[in-house]
Amino acid sequence: MGMMQKVAMKKIAKMSPQEQQKLMAEAFKPENRNKLLSAMEQMKKSGQITEEQYRMAKQKMGM
């Protein structure tokens, strides 16, 4: 995990449960979900993530 990811994880961990839910609801709006999926597909094509990681991420997102 890179430095920015660690900082983001710490910030999310310090948030209240209500703030976390609000953040996740915003992140998983349909238009944002589509952007996230296309970014993951590009990462898979470039070899940054494996097919297994791609499938696991989609499963965790409920797709």
Side-chain angles (χ1 to χ4, degrees), residues 1 5-9 11 13 19 23-24 26 28 32 35 38 44 53-54 61-62:
M1 197 181 305
Q5 289 89 354
K6 288 179 184 178
V7 171
M9 291 300 290
K11 186 173 181 176
E19 289 176 318
L23 180 68
M24 291 303 148
E26 179 70 28
F28 290 114
N32 293 338
K35 289 179 188 177
S38 65
K44 183 177 72 169
Q53 291 170 322
Y54 178 74
M61 289 172 42

Side-chain angles (χ1 to χ4, degrees), residues 14-25:
K14 291 179 182 178
M15 288 181 176
S16 70
Q18 294 84 9
E19 289 176 318
Q20 288 178 2
Q21 284 183 332
K22 183 180 175 186
L23 180 68
M24 291 303 148

Side-chain angles (χ1 to χ4, degrees):
M1 197 181 305
M3 186 177 119
M4 293 302 290
Q5 289 89 354
K6 288 179 184 178
V7 171
M9 291 300 290
K10 285 181 183 179
K11 186 173 181 176
I12 290 172
K14 291 179 182 178
M15 288 181 176
S16 70
Q18 294 84 9
E19 289 176 318
Q20 288 178 2
Q21 284 183 332
K22 183 180 175 186
L23 180 68
M24 291 303 148
E26 179 70 28
F28 290 114
K29 284 184 178 178
E31 59 272 6
N32 293 338
R33 185 179 291 184
N34 292 335
K35 289 179 188 177
L36 187 56
L37 278 175
S38 65
M40 288 189 333
E41 287 177 18
Q42 290 295 329
M43 290 174 74
K44 183 177 72 169
K45 288 178 184 176
S46 68
Q48 293 178 338
I49 61 173
T50 64
E51 178 68 31
E52 175 78 17
Q53 291 170 322
Y54 178 74
R55 280 187 276 130
M56 285 176 51
K58 280 182 67 175
Q59 183 181 13
K60 286 184 180 185
M61 289 172 42
M63 295 180 195

